[in-house]
Amino acid sequence: MDKSSSPSQAPHRAGFACFVGRPNAGKSTLTNALVGTKVAITSNRPQTTRHTVRGIVHRPDAQLVLVDTPGLHKPRTLLGERLNDVVRTTWAEVDVIGFCLPADQKIGPGDRYIAAELAAIKKTPKVAIVTKTDLVDSKALAEQLLAIQKLGQDLGIEWQEIIPVSAVGDKQVSLLADLLVPLLPESPPLYPEGDLTDEPEQVMVAELIREAALEGVRDELPHSIAVVVEEMLPREDRPKDKPLLDIHANVYIERPSQKGIIIGPKGARLKEVGMKSRKHIEALLGTPVFLDLHVKVAKDWQRDPKQLRKLGF
């Protein structure tokens, strides 16, 4: 390393990066590992990230703003098409794209579909990130690295780097940040030091509730849950040192038959969802919370433009 250029003289860089990859390629887990706090929703159910959740990595020399787009996939519904538009717009606007490919799965048609889309976006630098490396041995990893290099050659994508990471073991996560930073433009910080995400709190709260609601019923209700936080208000006449935040939220499902699945026998399941998500929400907001959850039916909301708008898509 060149000793003559001390870090104090290096220009500060700041910019946007987004991780892409087929659903469940480890994008959200990676975002959380880099930021060091749970910001994006992680779930082993594909397509749970619906909003562009940004995590912010603050470093002395740089600020890396992570834009987490929903997975790009062949759309089957109106919601799918709308999500794909969001993805393409985001890709064109960021400073660097990280393409996540799990080490433990062969490159498949889903990966090729995304890579072909990436190849069409010429200007943005691209980095291939091999995730979940803790799940394979070194021989399998080496094969995957070669396969990714070939994928780039076949499609005319020039990878700036191919980086193996394991977000679970924090292996090389900071190395990943080191490699992404030089690809950012010179710029002062874009966000104040303490910020971890610029998503409105209500959206993040809704995501946490949705994550808890999906737990355990993923097979029965893959994507047909939407959560809308109707209001978040500090409880009145509470002493200053004992605040309480009232949160009223609706969990929307598509069909009346799904109501029983979410609520559970004698309401036990919904109660559990409330307890689980309340813990995460209190950790996120740093204040005690009273959570009021209701389950409502919004018929076939994934296919209805009016409902999609109402539910924030």
Side-chain angles (χ1 to χ4, degrees):
M1 203 172 146
D2 181 15
K3 287 275 192 306
S4 60
S5 61
S6 73
S8 60
Q9 292 162 348
H12 188 280
R13 294 180 179 273
F16 296 86
C18 80
F19 296 139
V20 307
R22 62 190 149 104
N24 207 9
K27 304 182 289 286
S28 297
T29 308
L30 197 55
T31 301
N32 294 338
L34 277 164
V35 177
T37 304
K38 187 167 178 163
V39 280
I41 163 175
T42 57
S43 141
N44 51 16
R45 183 82 199 156
Q47 263 167 274
T48 38
T49 314
R50 287 251 169 91
H51 294 276
T52 305
V53 179
R54 298 174 170 85
I56 302 169
V57 182
H58 298 277
R59 296 164 47 122
D61 59 332
Q63 192 179 67
L64 179 64
V65 183
L66 303 171
V67 188
D68 199 12
T69 55
L72 186 85
H73 53 94
K74 295 197 166 128
R76 285 188 298 277
T77 59
L78 181 63
L79 173 65
E81 281 174 40
R82 210 167 271 191
L83 290 176
N84 281 358
D85 290 344
V86 171
V87 176
R88 289 194 191 89
T89 317
T90 307
W91 290 4
E93 289 168 358
V94 297
D95 299 299
V96 55
I97 298 172
F99 182 22
C100 296
L101 294 130
D104 62 333
Q105 294 164 36
K106 291 251 185 292
I107 292 175
D111 301 311
R112 289 202 177 81
Y113 174 70
I114 294 171
E117 293 277 340
L118 278 180
I121 295 173
K122 294 280 184 254
K123 287 203 175 91
T124 317
K126 297 159 201 73
V127 172
I129 303 166
V130 190
T131 59
K132 310 188 186 187
T133 53
D134 47 309
L135 302 179
V136 298
D137 60 19
S138 53
K139 182 173 175 286
L141 180 58
E143 283 169 9
Q144 186 72 324
L145 294 175
L146 286 169
I148 291 169
Q149 200 164 358
K150 185 176 183 316
L151 178 69
Q153 283 165 351
D154 292 349
L155 292 167
I157 300 172
E158 187 188 331
W159 306 120
Q160 303 283 329
E161 308 271 354
I162 300 179
I163 312 159
V165 296
S166 160
V168 179
D170 278 345
K171 269 196 199 128
Q172 288 183 295
V173 168
S174 55
L175 171 72
L176 172 62
D178 292 343
L179 293 170
L180 291 175
V181 163
L183 301 170
L184 303 177
E186 291 181 19
S187 156
L190 303 165
Y191 291 88
E193 177 68 52
D195 287 10
L196 291 175
T197 170
D198 76 346
E199 271 292 288
E201 284 173 344
Q202 265 169 275
V203 174
M204 292 184 68
V205 167
E207 290 282 308
L208 289 171
I209 296 169
R210 187 163 180 272
E211 184 177 29
L214 276 172
E215 223 159 274
V217 296
R218 299 205 162 89
D219 302 335
E220 298 149 279
L221 303 177
H223 314 312
S224 46
I225 297 180
V227 176
V228 176
V229 173
E230 298 295 336
E231 56 177 20
M232 286 171 46
L233 296 169
R235 175 85 55 95
E236 286 177 16
D237 36 275
R238 293 281 295 196
K240 272 267 190 300
D241 56 338
K242 291 208 170 106
L244 183 68
L245 190 64
D246 283 317
I247 299 180
H248 300 278
N250 290 327
V251 178
Y252 288 96
I253 48 185
E254 290 194 291
R255 289 186 292 285
S257 60
Q258 298 170 333
K259 215 167 177 172
I261 300 174
I262 288 283
I263 294 172
K266 294 193 176 152
R269 179 130 210 307
L270 190 63
K271 203 168 164 186
E272 172 124 323
V273 169
M275 280 163 53
K276 267 213 177 110
S277 51
R278 199 186 74 225
K279 272 204 195 107
H280 286 306
I281 294 165
E282 290 182 338
L284 172 77
L285 302 176
T287 173
V289 160
F290 171 78
L291 184 58
D292 176 38
L293 283 184
H294 293 274
V295 179
K296 301 198 167 184
V297 178
K299 223 165 140 354
D300 293 332
W301 62 266
Q302 296 199 45
R303 290 182 163 70
D304 176 351
K306 210 156 84 218
Q307 306 245 36
L308 280 173
R309 273 198 299 280
K310 186 182 156 210
L311 298 175
F313 298 113

